[in-house]
Amino acid sequence: LESNIITYKGLYPFISLTGSNGVIKAELTAFSPIIPKNLHDSTLPAVGFSVKVEESASGLIAVSFPNIVGTNPIGRINISQDKNKIIFTNTKSIDIDPRNGEIVLMGDAIDMITQYNINVKPEIALYNRTWKEKFENEDPWKAIINGEKYKEDVHEVSGLWADPGGILIFKYNRNSEIKFVLSWYIRGKHVLYPYGTYYQRNFSNAIEVAEYFYKNFDKLRNESVNFHKIVYNNT
């Protein structure tokens, strides 16, 4: 087999990552909508992702994201909803915190790990004379690979060594496309910018944003391509 190769391509507002090991090829595309003369959809606080895999009959795709809500990690907790959403929130974040709000990871998943600690146990890191960012907890990934049910650890974070993450697990088949959405909704009012955001006029929370984006995924993607026609095809 050839060496693993990953290729990046950026053409605003789209980016793509293509990976190949010489036989199997996987392509991830991401975009945040920007649509001419459509302010509502051009200000969505969300990113849409799609993944296609070639030369593979079927398999699993697992997507992880950390809970980064709130400037202080204490109070972070993940919540699952409707078997297709993980909601990242922070119960201790206050109104003047510019990162007060929530994040949602949504997709047509077959399974999920609502919350796990991204970090390895302290003794592992300290034994190697380093801090927690050096190593990642491999246990949930090993469970997915081995077809095992990972024991979730849903709780409100009360210390600095617990960085909660969540995973959605998808199954792909030949020529299928996996789609998922990452949305956010910031309610915090920064002392230097206390005015709020435009999307607060149209949505009440990150769940509404994610559901709207997911429902209109293809439309938002197709209409965002028109941005290329205006900008990149114009001398």
Side-chain angles (χ1 to χ4, degrees), residues 67-78 89-92 99 115 155-158 162-164:
N67 185 335
I68 56 174
V69 177
T71 302
N72 193 314
I74 294 176
R76 292 174 180 169
I77 186 171
N78 300 350
T89 186
N90 188 325
T91 61
K92 296 293 192 297
R99 288 168 63 176
Q115 185 171 331
H155 69 284
E156 186 177 299
V157 170
S158 58
D163 289 318

Side-chain angles (χ1 to χ4, degrees), residues 128-143:
N128 289 276
R129 298 181 181 181
T130 186
W131 187 238
K132 60 181 182 178
E133 287 86 1
K134 181 70 175 181
F135 301 101
E136 181 180 354
N137 179 10
E138 297 180 342
D139 292 343
W141 304 104
K142 290 179 179 178

Side-chain angles (χ1 to χ4, degrees), residues 67-111:
N67 185 335
I68 56 174
V69 177
T71 302
N72 193 314
I74 294 176
R76 292 174 180 169
I77 186 171
N78 300 350
I79 304 167
S80 60
Q81 185 184 80
D82 300 332
K83 297 182 179 180
N84 67 349
K85 303 184 195 71
I86 300 177
I87 305 165
F88 305 89
T89 186
N90 188 325
T91 61
K92 296 293 192 297
S93 182
I94 59 178
D95 291 341
I96 60 173
D97 183 353
R99 288 168 63 176
N100 177 34
E102 71 264 354
I103 297 173
V104 170
L105 182 63
M106 175 182 177
D108 189 17
I110 62 169
D111 201 359

Side-chain angles (χ1 to χ4, degrees), residues 218-232:
D218 291 338
K219 174 178 177 290
L220 295 172
R221 178 168 56 183
N222 294 337
E223 292 185 358
S224 292
V225 173
N226 290 330
F227 183 81
H228 297 168
K229 299 176 183 179
I230 294 175
V231 176
Y232 298 119

Side-chain angles (χ1 to χ4, degrees), residues 80-234:
S80 60
Q81 185 184 80
D82 300 332
K83 297 182 179 180
N84 67 349
K85 303 184 195 71
I86 300 177
I87 305 165
F88 305 89
T89 186
N90 188 325
T91 61
K92 296 293 192 297
S93 182
I94 59 178
D95 291 341
I96 60 173
D97 183 353
R99 288 168 63 176
N100 177 34
E102 71 264 354
I103 297 173
V104 170
L105 182 63
M106 175 182 177
D108 189 17
I110 62 169
D111 201 359
M112 69 171 60
I113 299 176
T114 305
Q115 185 171 331
Y116 72 99
N117 190 358
I118 295 173
N119 306 312
V120 297
K121 295 179 180 179
E123 53 265 32
I124 297 177
L126 296 177
Y127 176 80
N128 289 276
R129 298 181 181 181
T130 186
W131 187 238
K132 60 181 182 178
E133 287 86 1
K134 181 70 175 181
F135 301 101
E136 181 180 354
N137 179 10
E138 297 180 342
D139 292 343
W141 304 104
K142 290 179 179 178
I144 294 171
I145 292 172
N146 296 326
E148 301 169 352
K149 185 67 176 179
Y150 183 76
K151 184 178 180 181
E152 296 183 337
D153 187 20
V154 179
H155 69 284
E156 186 177 299
V157 170
S158 58
L160 298 179
W161 204 279
D163 289 318
I167 299 177
L168 288 184
I169 304 168
F170 304 88
K171 182 177 181 180
Y172 71 85
N173 298 307
R174 191 179 296 277
N175 299 322
S176 64
E177 180 182 32
I178 301 300
K179 302 174 185 176
F180 56 96
V181 173
L182 181 72
S183 67
W184 58 92
Y185 196 97
I186 301 303
R187 297 183 179 83
K189 300 295 193 297
H190 192 277
V191 63
L192 299 178
Y193 190 80
Y195 311 108
T197 54
Y198 180 82
Y199 58 74
Q200 291 175 339
R201 300 184 178 190
N202 306 311
F203 301 94
S204 300
N205 51 55
I207 298 174
E208 291 183 4
V209 176
E211 290 177 342
Y212 176 84
F213 197 120
Y214 197 77
K215 179 180 178 181
N216 297 279
F217 193 102
D218 291 338
K219 174 178 177 290
L220 295 172
R221 178 168 56 183
N222 294 337
E223 292 185 358
S224 292
V225 173
N226 290 330
F227 183 81
H228 297 168
K229 299 176 183 179
I230 294 175
V231 176
Y232 298 119
N233 295 336
N234 190 334

